[in-house]
Amino acid sequence: MNKLEAFGHIAALAIRGDLVFPTSVNAALRVQMALDDPDCPIDTAISLVLSEPLLAAKTVAISNSAMFNRSGAPVVTNVRGAIMRIGYQNLYALAAAMVVRQFGSRISDPKLRQKAERLWDHTIAVAALGRLIARHVTGVNADTALFAGIVHEVGNFYLLSRADEFPGLLEEDTENWHAASEEIITREVMRKLCIPEPVAEAIEGLRDSFMSIPPDTLLDTLLLANHLTPVRSPLQEPQRELPPHTDSAIDLFIDAEKLASMLEEARRDAADMSAVLLV
């Protein structure tokens, strides 16, 4: 089965809803679905997190990381305090990150596992930088930007998780490449994972959209984070050039000193997240 056939087969399965997820994904999905309600009682959120010991441990750990405790506040030692510190949106993002990581757990081929690890590094780098870009440049919700960054490669993680079964999936096959199949797969995976529509639309827009000047949307935030991060995706096609005016225009809203500061802060935040989420 060549690449085109593999993509077509998986896309057909995706359209029918026959997506194959690791069983461990379901627990995190239950937490996500509950937290999708902003009125979810805190005691319910605590119970859900405590029912998943791994998620509980990671929630407390990330609440004590520099990313969420830059002021040197006392160490949090329980789930209630952790949720109060990081908030529902970031807990939702943490559950999503666990889902993304679990896709890599089913990969047996060493080369594919290495690609999944490099894709994870890229994902966390974009998420951390996107959060800062949202805060300092585009003005979109920083927690939403963090979540969008964490899930923006979820379609590729899913494809990597199926590559053991379809050896032709990652072959070089530029003549028969059909981007529509990849888009269908990504869309259906996001639907299965209950990714909110505004986030899903921004992720789908990454393939064909250009950043507006000045950047002021979630899509712009993701485009800019992908463009500026030094951690490239191992599955990325040669980096598409932004419009000729964009690089010079970036200087209008991010000067060199500010960009260097953001990249360093994003690097530290990504390291914190990776350390907490490593499984």
Side-chain angles (χ1 to χ4, degrees):
M1 183 178 289
N2 64 30
K3 183 172 186 173
L4 181 63
E5 292 170 333
F7 265 103
H9 182 71
I10 295 176
L13 292 174
I15 291 172
R16 295 205 305 264
D18 293 335
L19 295 169
V20 181
F21 285 2
T23 55
S24 53
V25 165
N26 295 325
L29 283 176
R30 286 196 297 272
V31 175
Q32 277 189 271
M33 291 179 68
L35 294 175
D36 194 36
D37 177 6
D39 297 322
C40 175
I42 182 69
D43 287 336
T44 300
I46 292 169
S47 296
L48 284 166
V49 173
L50 287 174
S51 69
E52 301 300 329
L54 186 61
L55 179 59
K58 293 181 185 303
T59 301
V60 173
I62 204 167
S63 73
N64 287 313
S65 71
M67 186 174 180
F68 291 103
N69 186 22
R70 300 202 189 282
S71 62
V75 172
V76 169
T77 58
N78 56 75
V79 169
R80 180 182 294 273
I83 294 175
M84 295 294 288
R85 177 175 288 178
I86 71 174
Y88 277 11
Q89 275 193 292
N90 287 311
L91 180 57
Y92 187 92
L94 180 59
M98 290 182 63
V99 169
V100 172
R101 287 291 285 168
Q102 287 302 316
F103 281 124
S105 68
R106 61 185 295 154
I107 300 173
S108 59
D109 183 278
K111 291 183 179 179
L112 292 176
R113 288 188 69 88
Q114 185 179 44
K115 281 192 175 183
E117 288 304 314
R118 287 167 56 202
L119 186 60
W120 172 252
D121 291 341
H122 167 74
T123 294
I124 291 299
V126 168
L129 184 55
R131 177 172 176 261
L132 297 177
I133 290 170
R135 182 177 296 163
H136 299 292
V137 180
T138 60
V140 304
N141 184 285
D143 293 338
T144 299
L146 176 70
F147 172 73
I150 284 173
V151 298
H152 85 284
E153 291 281 7
V154 71
N156 279 327
F157 274 106
Y158 180 77
L159 288 170
L160 278 173
S161 76
R162 303 297 305 274
D164 281 328
E165 304 166 61
F166 301 94
L169 196 59
L170 299 179
E171 289 178 354
E172 293 293 333
D173 188 12
T174 54
E175 290 185 4
N176 292 321
W177 174 247
H178 189 30
S181 293
E182 183 179 4
E183 292 170 5
I184 289 169
I185 294 164
T186 297
R187 186 180 306 120
E188 293 304 319
V189 170
M190 289 195 294
R191 182 175 297 145
K192 177 77 170 181
L193 296 178
C194 302
I195 304 299
E197 190 61 30
V199 175
E201 287 179 358
I203 292 171
E204 289 187 49
L206 283 172
R207 177 177 294 277
D208 300 315
S209 300
F210 290 110
M211 189 178 71
S212 55
I213 302 295
D216 59 2
T217 67
L218 181 59
L219 174 57
D220 292 333
T221 303
L222 290 177
L223 286 168
L224 194 53
N226 269 283
H227 182 65
L228 293 176
T229 181
V231 186
R232 313 313 305 174
S233 164
L235 304 180
Q236 190 170 354
E237 299 170 30
Q239 188 174 8
R240 185 188 62 186
E241 294 296 323
L242 293 179
H245 66 275
T246 302
D247 282 324
S248 59
I250 288 175
D251 296 336
L252 298 175
F253 45 86
I254 312 178
D255 61 39
E257 183 178 355
K258 182 65 174 176
L259 177 57
S261 173
M262 289 171 58
L263 288 172
E264 175 57 24
E265 185 174 348
R267 184 193 65 77
R268 294 195 302 267
D269 288 347
D272 281 345
M273 282 194 287
S274 286
V276 169
L277 294 166
L278 187 63
V279 292

